[in-house]
Amino acid sequence: MWHRAFVVGGGAALPWRSLARRSLSSGSSGAVDSIILRSLKEHYLEVSKMTPPPKVNPPSPYTIVKAALDKDGPVLRRSYKDEEITISVMRLANIMPAGAEGDDGDDSINQLFLHVDVSKPEREDSLHFLCGLYPDAVGIHSVCLRPKVAASSGSVSLSKYQGRVFQELEQKMRDAFHIYIEARGVNESLFPFLQAWLYVKDHRNLMHWFKRVGTFINEHKPA
């Protein structure tokens, strides 16, 4: 994955780290800046040469939300009768801290988390699903009513009752909710597009990060 391109394995301190600290502590801040800038440039050039995954279109009738790559929020949108369905996505690796149980290579690549919002024009709230998406299946982790994404200030009141834990609902109701989202096109057919989309977004974010950090360090204070 993009975000693992330059991760150094293992949690133990490496010998060269302490040597580098002692060596650089006696040097000028300009020398330290030069080392960081040179490393940032090398990594930027290396990442820029990575081959992107083949282009994949979202399954019809979903369409890509305009400028989704440049901001956080919904990636896909579609209409279903009088409803609007929006889907946001993230990886397991972006939720679980490094080294946490379950954060192993294949699982973190092949498990995505979806935020699915089902909204109606006359309603101030939307039905929100948190789902796990795999190459061959989709499962619901939770379902609740919450303020519409567009109308919400970004903070949802935690005091408002969010319903029962999904796994505590009776099986017939859980099955019905799965049929509900499947009827709206939330199924494993979304996986190829969303996985490819995340690779592209991770690549763009990493490239932008190298540039922003380099610009910050290279910016000289006025005399």
Side-chain angles (χ1 to χ4, degrees):
M1 293 185 330
W2 295 112
H3 81 287
R4 291 189 173 181
F6 304 108
V7 173
V8 178
L14 298 176
W16 59 263
R17 288 181 179 172
S18 57
L19 292 174
R21 290 194 190 101
R22 287 199 296 269
S23 175
L24 291 174
S25 62
S26 58
S28 66
S29 61
V32 175
D33 290 357
S34 296
I35 291 172
I36 296 174
L37 289 170
R38 183 166 60 250
S39 182
L40 286 169
K41 182 178 179 180
E42 290 172 354
H43 285 108
Y44 178 90
L45 292 175
E46 186 172 348
V47 172
S48 68
K49 297 175 183 176
M50 289 182 176
T51 303
K55 184 177 180 180
V56 181
N57 293 320
S60 178
Y62 279 101
T63 58
I64 303 172
V65 175
K66 186 178 180 181
L69 277 173
D70 299 316
K71 58 186 179 182
D72 296 326
V75 176
L76 295 175
R77 174 182 288 120
R78 68 160 292 185
S79 297
Y80 179 83
K81 299 179 180 179
D82 65 334
E83 301 170 352
E84 182 180 65
I85 318 297
T86 58
I87 294 178
S88 304
V89 63
M90 64 185 69
R91 277 201 189 89
L92 172 65
N94 297 129
I95 301 174
M96 300 286 286
E101 182 179 355
D103 185 21
D104 52 14
D106 290 340
D107 285 345
S108 59
I109 292 175
N110 291 324
Q111 181 174 355
L112 309 179
F113 280 100
L114 304 185
H115 291 272
V116 181
D117 275 288
V118 181
S119 62
K120 298 183 179 183
E122 70 276 10
R123 298 278 308 195
E124 294 183 355
D125 49 12
S126 64
L127 194 59
H128 177 77
F129 295 85
L130 175 61
C131 302
L133 179 64
Y134 305 86
D136 58 353
V138 62
I140 299 174
H141 290 286
S142 66
V143 56
C144 65
L145 282 169
R146 70 177 193 178
K148 287 182 178 177
V149 174
S152 174
S153 61
S155 59
V156 179
S157 174
L158 297 179
S159 61
K160 187 175 181 180
Y161 181 64
Q162 298 296 314
R164 297 188 66 182
V165 176
F166 187 75
Q167 292 303 319
E168 294 179 355
L169 299 174
E170 62 175 9
Q171 185 65 49
K172 185 181 293 186
M173 185 178 294
R174 297 203 304 269
D175 291 345
F177 273 124
H178 278 97
I179 294 171
Y180 180 90
I181 62 170
E182 280 192 25
R184 287 151 179 80
V186 181
N187 54 48
E188 61 271 17
S189 68
L190 294 168
F191 187 89
F193 168 79
L194 291 174
Q195 186 187 50
W197 186 89
L198 281 172
Y199 270 94
V200 174
K201 186 173 178 65
D202 284 351
H203 179 261
R204 287 166 61 100
N205 286 343
L206 186 56
M207 296 281 285
H208 291 162
W209 183 84
F210 285 140
K211 292 180 68 174
R212 290 198 305 270
V213 174
T215 299
F216 179 90
I217 292 175
N218 200 38
E219 189 175 55
H220 298 287
K221 294 180 180 179

